[in-house]
Amino acid sequence: MKFLFTIAALAVPLIAWAQSPLPNAVMTPGAINPLVNEHTIDATICVRGWTRTIRPPVSYTEPLKKAQIRAYGYADRRPWKYEEDHLIPLDLGGSPDSPLNLWPEPHLGPGDWGAYAKDRLEEKMVRLVCRHDLSLARARAMMAGNWIAAYRTYLGAVPDNARPHHWHEAYYSDRW
């Protein structure tokens, strides 16, 4: 399996990352989907439901998540405590299945930074990109570089990491 080879090849001491809500930049630098660029966003990521067509199956992501939890050196290895998340989100043209773009993100990490707060940022960023208020390249760079800094820029200093009760209304229209 290609993801096991990748994890083994990138395995390094990860004590510092085990305590961070950000992924290890060596193991999870981010990877993009070559089908998505500034010229194709209106036919791809800005179309409601497009990401469902490329999302990898749980049969792929669950074994990867378990292997990455071990490789990351997380003390808590219970898989349900993590979401196998795309560093560069699918709705910003992140690679759907590259292990370089997937990592076991804690649902609730240090400082309350976790998967649900990142989901809120993703929602904000895709709306900005699809309205052409933010370039796709810039959005990707912010997500891959430090999504917490991007959250602070666009949503505020305090993470809203509460589990969402419902999808944002943008998910119910044809476009963002």
Side-chain angles (χ1 to χ4, degrees):
M1 297 181 148
K2 85 177 174 181
F3 69 86
L4 290 178
F5 175 76
T6 301
I7 290 172
L10 295 174
V12 294
L14 301 171
I15 301 305
W17 282 283
Q19 303 304 314
S20 173
L22 298 173
N24 174 312
V26 173
M27 290 181 67
T28 312
I32 61 170
N33 181 340
L35 300 176
V36 180
N37 60 57
E38 292 287 347
H39 303 292
T40 65
I41 62 172
D42 291 326
T44 56
I45 64 172
C46 297
V47 175
R48 183 177 154 256
W50 183 80
T51 59
R52 282 190 298 250
T53 68
I54 62 165
R55 187 170 300 281
V58 174
S59 62
Y60 173 75
T61 59
E62 193 64 17
L64 177 61
K65 176 170 66 172
K66 290 175 182 177
Q68 287 179 328
I69 287 170
R70 288 188 303 276
Y72 263 77
Y74 289 139
D76 188 339
R77 294 191 176 180
R78 295 174 290 181
W80 57 89
K81 296 283 191 163
Y82 305 91
E83 173 182 319
E84 187 68 1
D85 200 16
H86 294 88
L87 177 59
I88 301 173
L90 296 180
D91 51 9
L92 291 175
S95 172
D97 59 359
S98 171
L100 299 176
N101 197 44
L102 287 156
W103 102 98
E105 180 181 19
H107 286 291
L108 188 59
D112 289 337
W113 294 103
Y116 302 130
K118 184 173 176 285
D119 289 346
R120 286 178 171 77
L121 174 62
E122 292 169 12
E123 181 182 300
K124 174 73 171 183
M125 305 267 299
V126 73
R127 279 188 274 131
L128 292 171
V129 168
C130 290
R131 283 188 282 176
H132 303 279
D133 292 336
L134 177 66
S135 77
L136 179 63
R138 179 77 180 125
R140 287 172 169 173
M142 287 189 286
M143 294 303 287
N146 183 336
W147 71 264
I148 294 173
Y151 187 102
R152 288 179 172 139
T153 298
Y154 289 99
L155 296 174
V158 179
D160 180 355
N161 204 40
R163 180 179 220 121
H165 296 289
H166 56 80
W167 289 104
H168 186 274
E169 61 273 6
Y171 284 100
Y172 297 105
S173 66
D174 289 338
R175 306 193 65 75
W176 285 101

